[in-house]
Amino acid sequence: MFFPAVASAMAERVGPALVDVPPHECPGTGSDQAGKAAACQGCPNQGLCSSAQPAGPDPAIEEIKEKMKTVKHKILVLSGKGGVGKSTFSAHLAHGLAEDENKQVAVLDIDICGPSIPKIMGLEGEQVHQSGSGWSPVYVEENLGVMSVGFLLSSPDDAVIWRGPKKNGMIKQFLRDVDWGEIDYLIVDTPPGTSDEHLSIVQYLGATCIDGAVIITTPQEVALQDVRKEINFCRKVKLPVIGVVENMSGFVCPKCKKESQIFPPTTGGAEMMCLTLNVPLLGKVPLDPQIGKSCDTGQSFFSEIPNSPATLSYRDIIQRIQNYCSHDRPQEERKP
Amino acid sequence: MEAEAERGNLAGVQHIILVLSGKGGVGKSTISTELALALRHTGKKVGILDVDLCGPSIPRMLNVQERDVHQCDSGWVPVFVDQDKTISLMSIGFLLEKPDDAVVWRGPKKNALIKRFVSDVAWGELDFLIVDTPPGTSDEHIATVESLRPYQPLGAVLVTTPQAVSVGDVRRELTFCKKTGLRVIGIVENMSGFVCPHCSECSNVFSKGGGQELAQHAGVPFLGCVPLDPQLTQSLEGGRDFIQEFPKSSAFPALVGITQHILSMASPRSS
Ligand SMILES: Nc1ncnc2c1ncn2[C@@H]1O[C@H](COP(=O)(O)OP(=O)(O)OP(=O)(O)O)[C@@H](O)[C@H]1O
Ligand SMILES: [Mg+2]
Ligand SMILES: [Zn+2]
């Protein structure tokens, strides 16, 4: 029985006790009681807590803090839902920021099992090089570097069949062992969900202060219900939410120019969700098939379709994010 | 009889089908839901096991998000979607205190719950058990495939959308199936084309043909193209029975085709 506390209490309804293990019972991974306390008996994490995890915080956190001293702003791109456009957004946020030649921009793709950044940024087949000071990122432009597990695979068919600890190890390496150099913006693209990758990135960057998270969603409730969970995750781990982007919001028929809601906002869309949860809405981006095409060919759609409504909306959103980073929360005042 | 006993709670389950994709948001939960509804309409009893622990969608898609799971002597009683108990569902969505609660779990905890989902749910007699998964090839997938292996699943339905970015991830999922010895029933190309409701022009919103090409390239069956159909999205938002209500809509024939493929694959084994 994996959840002994639950089994005994589970007379009728199988309830939330299963999900929220009472915190006073779990000593926490940082404690020297980790894996040994009475409450740990039978917990699925017991093995991990008692052996693999050293007592106290991971020394890598300090090393990463050192490494990140040369990185001004860190932005996570998150969504609870899959396929809403996180990687497309991450890549184009980077393209947009890197238009200013004086800014150094980096993209870190921590979607370990489904890395799409290499394809979207036209870097498929590229390999990471080892230098004296670590792994060097792959560069799209002089001021735009990228790191992804995709650069470490030998074929497009390679599957990364890894459990959590291995993924976490990779993320740690990406932060600690990559020669990032002086960076103005580090953009982190993530897989959907609220699990190992998300906990690890927040934990490893925890001592360095993250500017915040941009949350991507589509307008329908099936997506929003997962995105609310993601926002609750941010609150749980004290990650500021920069704002929400509603993607694939309306589709304009190329023939008759009339708009259709392919993913209808049946519960009020991102707008309503943002009101209810009191987070800013950064903007809405329409569904434009050209965006998909640009991503498939690894081009930036800013240059492909400079005047489309989607591009204009993107530019507006990027401006807001820049404002957030520079005005709203000056570097010195932020607390980790 | 001994083998029966070992199968425990899955003893009465004829066929197990996994719905997989390397890519998120391509319609795994949609295909799982519609497959269950379509199989029900052919008179089958169907169970759905939702192992997407961080983003469960099926409870809403079947309009049972308010329901609870109960305990009986042989394990957890799944939620029955209809009065006749032809579709039953187990999902973490039923175990959360508040629907918006985030399930912030690392791998081992997810693995443990999936193992319980496989062994402890009292499914009873089922013709099909459909397993909906999150995107990727990680803990949930390894745990699901490992704990289902003794029950010899019929195979996996792989879902993709047509664009290259998505097909790339599904190629990796094919490798996952090969490595774990899971048979590939076939590939579904979802969101393939959108017919404008105003002028009937078909736009390839997410490109076209990628799923079919991949099936050919990999030598696995192609199960068909499901178009982007606003009536389907609407049905899923409200948890309504699309198969019952919209037999004339554009996605219907494709969904029925996939169901028939699966029925014909399953029939020789059922004897
Ligand atoms: N053929 C289709 N026509 C119209 N809408 C669709 C179609 N297929 C899926 N959808 C809609 O697209 C959205 C994503 O689908 P779904 O939730 O099934 O994807 P998923 O692969 O399960 O996502 P995740 O990876 O997040 O679990 C849903 O809102 C669904 O209603
Ligand atoms: Mg799903
Ligand atoms: Zn039209």
Side-chain angles (χ1 to χ4, degrees):
Chain A
M1 194 65 29
F2 289 109
F3 300 92
V6 179
S8 54
M10 203 161 46
E12 258 278 90
R13 179 175 172 242
V14 181
L18 175 72
V19 176
D20 273 331
V21 177
H24 62 269
E25 289 182 15
C26 172
T29 51
S31 150
D32 55 1
Q33 278 302 298
K36 301 188 195 106
C40 301
Q41 296 306 314
C43 171
N45 287 321
Q46 187 185 13
L48 203 74
C49 292
S50 57
S51 60
Q53 218 95 357
D58 187 336
I61 295 178
E62 267 309 303
E63 293 165 36
I64 290 168
K65 186 179 172 190
E66 267 310 298
K67 191 94 187 182
M68 289 292 143
K69 280 203 168 135
T70 55
V71 178
K72 279 208 193 99
H73 299 289
K74 301 168 211 80
I75 300 169
L76 306 191
V77 179
L78 298 176
S79 176
K81 183 70 184 160
V84 294
K86 286 178 296 298
S87 304
T88 306
F89 185 84
S90 304
H92 287 84
L93 174 58
H95 280 301
L97 292 169
E99 279 175 7
D100 178 351
E101 286 162 19
N102 300 317
K103 293 272 184 271
Q104 199 66 34
V105 182
V107 178
L108 171 59
D109 177 8
I110 61 163
D111 190 342
I112 308 290
C113 295
S116 23
I117 286 288
K119 184 170 234 115
I120 293 176
M121 301 193 80
L123 301 172
E124 232 182 352
E126 295 282 344
Q127 299 281 316
V128 161
H129 297 282
Q130 183 83 39
S131 76
S133 43
W135 283 342
S136 33
V138 174
Y139 285 88
V140 186
E141 312 272 355
E142 226 166 277
N143 66 338
L144 177 52
V146 182
M147 185 48 98
S148 165
V149 84
F151 301 142
L152 305 171
L153 304 177
S154 49
S155 132
D157 291 313
D158 274 5
V160 181
I161 308 171
W162 288 1
R163 294 185 182 273
K166 226 171 151 188
K167 296 192 285 191
N168 301 333
M170 185 88 257
I171 292 171
K172 188 196 292 188
Q173 267 186 291
F174 278 161
L175 294 169
R176 190 189 55 191
D177 303 338
V178 172
D179 183 15
W180 289 108
E182 294 271 337
I183 288 178
D184 293 287
Y185 292 97
L186 175 67
I187 295 152
V188 183
D189 184 27
T190 66
T194 50
S195 190
D196 282 287
E197 294 88 337
H198 313 84
L199 279 167
S200 292
I201 192 80
V202 170
Q203 183 190 341
Y204 289 137
L205 288 179
T208 75
C209 75
I210 305 170
D211 290 70
V214 176
I215 314 263
I216 318 290
T217 187
T218 48
Q220 78 278 31
E221 176 58 27
V222 168
L224 293 171
Q225 64 176 359
D226 292 352
V227 172
R228 287 192 203 99
K229 290 182 198 287
E230 198 75 32
I231 293 174
N232 278 329
F233 165 81
C234 292
R235 294 194 166 149
K236 236 180 188 166
V237 300
K238 307 211 162 44
L239 180 65
V241 174
I242 300 175
V244 174
V245 174
E246 183 178 276
N247 193 22
M248 308 192 194
S249 150
F251 169 71
V252 176
C253 171
K255 192 168 177 208
C256 72
K257 306 289 174 214
K258 286 197 183 126
E259 191 176 24
S260 302
Q261 300 300 332
I262 293 191
F263 301 114
T266 54
T267 54
E271 217 161 323
M272 188 53 101
M273 178 188 74
C274 287
L275 266 177
T276 318
L277 297 182
N278 194 23
V279 289
L281 178 64
L282 294 172
K284 299 184 187 185
V285 182
L287 218 179
D288 184 337
Q290 272 300 330
I291 294 185
K293 271 189 206 149
S294 298
C295 288
D296 276 3
T297 54
Q299 307 285 323
S300 155
F301 60 76
F302 291 153
S303 45
E304 304 272 299
I305 42 167
N307 298 315
S308 78
T311 302
L312 299 178
S313 160
Y314 248 94
R315 291 207 177 280
D316 188 52
I317 292 166
I318 293 173
Q319 188 58 54
R320 281 167 189 253
I321 293 171
Q322 266 176 303
N323 293 349
Y324 176 94
C325 289
S326 52
H327 302 310
D328 297 9
R329 323 179 65 227
Q331 183 90 27
E332 311 78 57
E333 284 177 23
R334 269 177 293 143
K335 290 216 186 86
Chain B
M1 274 299 103
E2 188 134 313
E4 282 283 286
E6 272 171 33
R7 288 177 67 93
N9 271 320
L10 290 173
V13 177
Q14 295 292 325
H15 304 287
I16 301 172
I17 296 171
L18 286 84
V19 179
L20 298 177
S21 176
K23 181 76 185 161
V26 294
K28 291 174 292 297
S29 307
T30 302
I31 297 294
S32 303
T33 301
E34 299 310 323
L35 196 54
L37 290 169
L39 285 167
R40 185 253 296 268
H41 284 280
T42 69
K44 302 292 180 193
K45 274 196 84 164
V46 191
I48 306 180
L49 175 59
D50 177 4
V51 300
D52 190 341
L53 305 184
C54 295
S57 309
I58 309 266
R60 163 162 294 271
M61 290 179 167
L62 289 170
N63 195 21
V64 287
Q65 63 270 38
E66 312 282 309
R67 303 269 285 276
D68 293 329
V69 162
H70 294 265
Q71 176 84 3
C72 72
D73 288 343
S74 46
W76 291 344
V77 186
V79 165
F80 293 102
V81 170
D82 53 336
Q83 289 244 300
D84 302 334
K85 302 193 172 181
T86 52
I87 297 185
S88 45
L89 168 61
M90 185 67 199
S91 168
I92 197 172
F94 302 133
L95 307 178
L96 302 176
E97 192 162 8
K98 289 189 250 78
D100 296 343
D101 280 349
V103 175
V104 188
W105 288 3
R106 292 190 181 271
K109 215 167 163 188
K110 294 195 284 192
N111 299 337
L113 181 61
I114 289 175
K115 284 201 190 112
R116 283 200 74 180
F117 272 179
V118 168
S119 62
D120 289 4
V121 179
W123 294 105
E125 298 287 321
L126 291 181
D127 294 300
F128 289 91
L129 176 66
I130 298 169
V131 185
D132 182 29
T133 63
T137 49
S138 191
D139 286 287
E140 292 90 332
H141 311 83
I142 303 170
T144 304
V145 172
E146 275 178 359
S147 29
L148 286 174
R149 186 167 293 127
Y151 309 103
Q152 297 168 335
L154 189 62
V157 172
L158 267 54
V159 185
T160 187
T161 48
Q163 72 272 38
V165 169
S166 161
V167 171
D169 283 349
V170 179
R171 273 178 85 165
R172 293 189 264 265
E173 199 75 32
L174 277 167
T175 306
F176 171 82
C177 292
K178 212 179 283 166
K179 284 209 171 149
T180 56
L182 187 63
R183 170 157 63 155
V184 175
I185 296 174
I187 293 178
V188 174
E189 179 173 312
N190 189 25
M191 308 198 189
S192 175
F194 171 70
V195 176
C196 173
H198 309 290
C199 73
S200 300
E201 169 85 356
C202 180
S203 297
N204 293 324
V205 174
F206 298 113
S207 161
K208 176 96 195 154
Q212 189 155 13
E213 261 168 49
L214 178 65
Q216 262 163 11
H217 170 87
V220 298
F222 181 62
L223 302 180
C225 294
V226 182
L228 258 173
D229 182 342
Q231 276 172 325
L232 178 54
T233 336
Q234 286 282 2
S235 301
L236 293 161
E237 289 279 288
R240 300 210 312 274
D241 185 343
F242 174 81
I243 302 289
Q244 172 86 38
E245 293 178 31
F246 299 103
K248 293 210 172 64
S249 77
S250 61
F252 182 86
L255 291 169
V256 169
I258 296 165
T259 310
Q260 271 159 359
H261 185 107
I262 285 167
L263 279 171
S264 66
M265 235 188 113
S267 55
R269 269 182 47 149
S270 58
S271 55

